[in-house]
């Protein structure tokens, strides 16, 4: 057959196409959103170029166009196939790197680097969604503002490495007292926020706060170093104490400072702290002090 070498060339190109298509399917399975749309546009262009070249060769073979044109077109088709393979093969690794980089960037953007807890940005996003749902279903939620007592002394005495170990231990202990639907976030050096969804009553927030203070009173061991921190906790309830993010955080923060001024290592709700109105806080009631 006169066109046997050409058909062999076309066959090799077809094999490259099939192999490239399999890799393309793998890449498509890796693509989750539009973050790598630029690469996908290049791949589609290469595949279209490849397909047009292949169909062109087949058409010329069928209608009997001169061999030299078929050969030239076949060469374009074959090298186009190689180009597609190159783009797909090298791009597969590029996609993996992009996805890993994007995951790392997302981690940095939404989670605390030391404790791996949600940071301020992610916590506020979750709180915003929870407020919307609680309002829609007429439910209550609680925001706990936690400020560690004695952390600065630990950090100054034993160094930042031990300070980071303490923060990690605190994060682990706090998360043991919340449900999967709740959120514990680190929003500052020694400040944490807790979101308790769908609570039955304001007392539910106080129960969790008491447990958290009890568990934080236990010594934290870092190698040969044993240290201890406490926590002052303020509690704000939606919708009783506020119906937006800023108000709830502020009320919980204000209540926390009342607890800290009252002797530290205790909790109090905003309603208890400011029973006579903002700025007129009451002495801490006996039930608000966590036993230790």
């Amino acid at each position: 057959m006169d066109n046997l070498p050409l058909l062999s060339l076309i066959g090799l190109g077809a094999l490259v196409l099939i192999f490239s298509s399999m890799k393309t399917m793998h890449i498509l399975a890796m693509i989750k959103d539009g973050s790598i749309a630029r690469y996908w546009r290049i791949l589609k262009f290469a595949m279209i170029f490849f397909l047009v070249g292949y169909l062109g060769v087949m058409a010329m073979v069928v209608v009997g166009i001169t061999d030299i044109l078929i050969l030239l077109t076949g060469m374009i088709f074959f090298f186009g196939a190689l180009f597609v393979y190159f783009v797909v093969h090298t791009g597969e690794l590029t996609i993996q790197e992009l996805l890993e980089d994007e995951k790392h960037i997302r981690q940095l953007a939404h989670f605390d680097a030391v404790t791996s807890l949600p940071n301020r940005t992610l916590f506020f996003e979750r709180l915003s969604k929870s407020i919307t749902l609680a309002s829609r279903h007429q439910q209550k939620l609680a925001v706990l503002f936690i400020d560690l007592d004695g952390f600065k002394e630990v950090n100054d005495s034993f160094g930042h490495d031990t300070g980071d170990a303490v923060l990690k231990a605190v994060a682990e202990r706090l998360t043991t007292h919340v449900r999967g639907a709740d959120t514990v976030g680190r929003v500052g050096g020694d400040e944490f926020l807790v979101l308790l969804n769908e609570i039955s009553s304001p007392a539910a927030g106080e129960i969790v706060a008491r447990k958290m203070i009890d568990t934080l009173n236990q010594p934290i061991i870092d190698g040969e170093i044993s240290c201890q921190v406490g926590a002052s906790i303020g509690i704000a309830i939606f919708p009783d104490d506020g119906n937006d993010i800023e108000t709830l955080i502020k009320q919980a923060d204000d209540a926390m400072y009342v607890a800290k001024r009252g002797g530290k290592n205790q909790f109090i709700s905003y309603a208890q702290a400011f029973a006579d109105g903002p700025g007129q806080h009451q002495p801490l009631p006996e039930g608000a002090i966590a036993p230790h």
Side-chain angles (χ1 to χ4, degrees):
M1 180 183 296
D2 293 339
N3 289 328
L4 183 58
L6 172 64
L7 293 177
S8 299
L9 189 66
I10 294 172
L12 287 174
L15 289 176
V16 174
L17 173 62
I18 293 172
F19 188 67
S20 298
S21 297
M22 294 172 64
K23 278 189 164 291
T24 301
M25 293 303 103
H26 180 230
I27 288 177
L28 289 176
M30 297 165 62
I31 297 176
K32 303 298 183 183
D33 51 39
S35 59
I36 48 179
R38 182 172 177 270
Y39 170 78
W40 175 231
R41 287 195 295 270
I42 295 174
L43 179 60
K44 285 195 294 184
F45 171 78
M47 294 295 288
I48 292 172
F49 174 79
F50 180 33
L51 183 60
V52 169
Y54 181 76
L55 293 177
V57 172
M58 292 296 99
M60 283 186 279
V61 170
V62 171
V63 300
I65 303 296
T66 56
D67 288 348
I68 186 65
L69 289 178
I70 296 177
L71 180 61
L72 290 174
T73 308
M75 291 178 65
I76 293 174
F77 161 73
F78 179 71
F79 287 110
L82 291 180
F83 173 67
V84 172
Y85 174 77
F86 173 78
V87 171
V88 172
H89 181 68
T90 58
E92 184 177 16
L93 298 179
T94 302
I95 293 297
Q96 291 175 338
E97 292 173 357
L98 285 172
L99 291 176
E100 290 174 1
D101 289 345
E102 184 174 318
K103 180 180 179 181
H104 180 63
I105 292 173
R106 187 182 296 115
Q107 178 77 14
L108 292 177
H110 293 94
F111 293 89
D112 175 60
V114 175
T115 63
S116 296
L117 291 175
N119 62 13
R120 178 183 297 269
T121 299
L122 182 56
F123 185 90
F124 278 32
E125 287 179 5
R126 292 184 180 179
L127 178 55
S128 177
K129 293 178 181 177
S130 293
I131 288 175
T132 300
L133 290 174
S135 178
R136 181 181 305 161
H137 299 292
Q138 297 183 332
Q139 297 170 335
K140 292 182 182 294
L141 62 81
V143 173
L144 279 59
F145 198 114
I146 303 173
D147 186 87
L148 298 183
D149 298 323
F151 176 75
K152 184 178 184 302
E153 289 76 7
V154 170
N155 209 36
D156 292 344
S157 300
F158 301 109
H160 294 295
D161 289 343
T162 297
D164 287 349
V166 169
L167 290 174
K168 292 176 183 178
V170 167
E172 292 173 359
R173 294 183 184 187
L174 293 179
T175 53
T176 61
H177 297 296
V178 300
R179 303 158 297 178
D182 302 327
T183 298
V184 178
R186 182 186 176 211
V187 296
D190 58 355
E191 294 178 338
F192 296 80
L193 283 171
V194 179
L195 167 62
L196 303 176
N197 288 299
E198 298 181 30
I199 60 172
S200 57
S201 69
E206 298 176 3
I207 292 173
V208 172
R210 184 183 300 274
K211 290 179 179 179
M212 287 180 170
I213 288 179
D214 286 345
T215 193
L216 290 180
N217 280 331
Q218 303 302 316
I220 296 174
I221 309 298
D222 178 38
E224 298 180 354
I225 298 174
S226 176
C227 50
Q228 188 169 358
V229 296
S232 297
I233 304 178
I235 307 169
I237 304 296
F238 171 89
D240 305 20
D241 302 321
N243 55 16
D244 59 74
I245 294 176
E246 291 76 14
T247 302
L248 286 171
I249 298 296
K250 182 181 183 303
Q251 312 298 53
D253 187 24
D254 288 346
M256 181 275 294
Y257 276 107
V258 171
K260 191 172 286 288
R261 288 195 298 267
K264 301 183 178 180
N265 207 37
Q266 52 196 357
F267 67 87
I268 189 170
S269 69
Y270 180 81
Q272 291 174 321
F274 298 97
D276 292 338
Q280 304 295 322
H281 72 82
Q282 297 293 305
L284 283 171
E286 183 178 351
I289 301 176
H292 52 88

